[in-house]
Amino acid sequence: MADGNAYGDTSDQDLLARHVEGDPDAFGEIVRRHRDRLWAVALRTLGDREEAADAVQDALVSAYRAAHTFRGQSAVTTWLHRITVNACLDRARKAASRKTSPVDDTERLEQLLEPHESASAPAERNDLHRQLIEALGTLPPDQRAALVLVDMQGYPVAEAARVLDVPTGTVKSRCARGRARLLPLLTHLRPEKTGDDKESGDGRNRAEGTSVPPAAGPTDAGPNDSAAVKGGGGRT
């Protein structure tokens, strides 16, 4: 594969067009640019490393095959995130239909959430991540995806709506319902606020209600490059 630097400032849209025209390396550059963020969304939506890797692979294969359908009505990154979220929701629904129990192995979750942290990392951070993922796992997939995008990834509601391909009101509603369900499980994770703190913050990206605490620590590590595009399926 060609060195990504060879593409310089080539836009994502131009790269996608080159891929459709037959450039063998253009899609690989798109993957290089966006894989880590797609992985973070998939991991926090599904809460399982293997399922997240499979969802990202499904999504990238779908994007590879459906590139000719891209019409530039949204940014390439929005288009990729939408495909990835759809792949995650597909897997979450299949898991729910199999009545798969939430992952409850503390050690496995700590490895999942902090794959590169040393054993001396604060136990409190790992425990917070574990509890957050377990709590998110109790939500319906649509609510979980909305909260991951808005509260954990920091997307504005309007951008999350484009990613999920739903109206902004639907995103706000899903976030509000999800937060209401999570509040009893997450209240103890939020620091006590002073009177001044309660008056601060513009809440510009938040629907009404308490938001999910953002995941702390380093960016979640993505799957190996060699595994970035394989498998099949996933919705476009």
Side-chain angles (χ1 to χ4, degrees):
M1 179 175 292
D3 185 344
N5 293 332
Y7 289 102
D9 297 328
T10 304
S11 69
D12 290 342
Q13 190 162 340
D14 285 344
L15 283 171
L16 202 61
R18 291 189 186 189
H19 162 64
V20 172
E21 293 167 0
D23 185 327
D25 299 318
F27 194 80
E29 172 64 7
I30 291 175
V31 171
R32 186 190 68 79
R33 291 180 181 182
H34 299 283
R35 179 184 58 246
D36 287 349
R37 291 191 71 188
L38 299 179
W39 168 252
V41 168
L43 183 58
R44 288 167 178 163
T45 302
L46 292 169
D48 180 276
R49 189 180 184 87
E50 292 184 3
E51 285 289 313
D54 286 344
V56 172
Q57 290 163 13
D58 288 351
L60 290 174
V61 170
S62 292
Y64 183 94
R65 294 172 175 170
H68 66 283
T69 68
F70 180 77
R71 295 291 180 265
Q73 296 176 337
S74 62
V76 171
T77 185
T78 300
W79 179 71
L80 289 172
H81 276 69
R82 180 182 302 144
I83 294 173
T84 300
V85 169
N86 283 339
C88 289
L89 295 181
D90 281 344
R91 287 190 167 272
R93 292 185 186 106
K94 291 175 182 176
S97 69
R98 296 193 299 267
K99 300 185 184 298
T100 301
S101 299
V103 177
D104 58 4
D105 185 320
T106 302
E107 182 179 358
R108 181 181 177 190
L109 276 168
E110 288 175 351
Q111 293 173 351
L112 164 70
L113 291 165
E114 303 290 356
H116 297 305
E117 279 201 342
S118 67
S120 61
E124 292 83 0
R125 177 185 295 172
N126 285 333
D127 188 56
L128 184 150
H129 282 191
R130 177 182 62 80
Q131 293 180 62
L132 178 56
I133 290 299
E134 287 181 347
L136 284 169
T138 68
L139 297 180
D142 290 348
Q143 292 177 20
R144 190 188 319 164
L147 285 177
V148 166
L149 290 173
V150 174
D151 284 348
M152 299 180 72
Q153 297 295 318
Y155 279 75
V157 168
E159 179 68 8
R162 286 191 288 272
V163 170
L164 297 172
D165 198 22
V166 296
T168 57
T170 299
V171 173
K172 293 179 180 179
S173 176
R174 290 176 181 177
C175 286
R177 291 198 304 270
R179 290 172 189 142
R181 293 182 63 165
L182 289 180
L183 186 59
L185 303 175
L186 299 180
T187 299
H188 66 290
L189 301 180
R190 299 178 61 83
E192 291 295 328
K193 291 185 177 181
T194 65
D196 292 339
D197 291 336
K198 292 178 181 178
E199 297 298 328
S200 64
D202 58 15
R204 60 191 173 190
N205 293 342
R206 300 289 181 259
E208 183 178 352
T210 302
S211 64
V212 175
T219 303
D220 301 305
N224 293 333
D225 290 357
S226 60
V229 182
K230 69 176 182 179
R235 297 187 325 196
T236 59

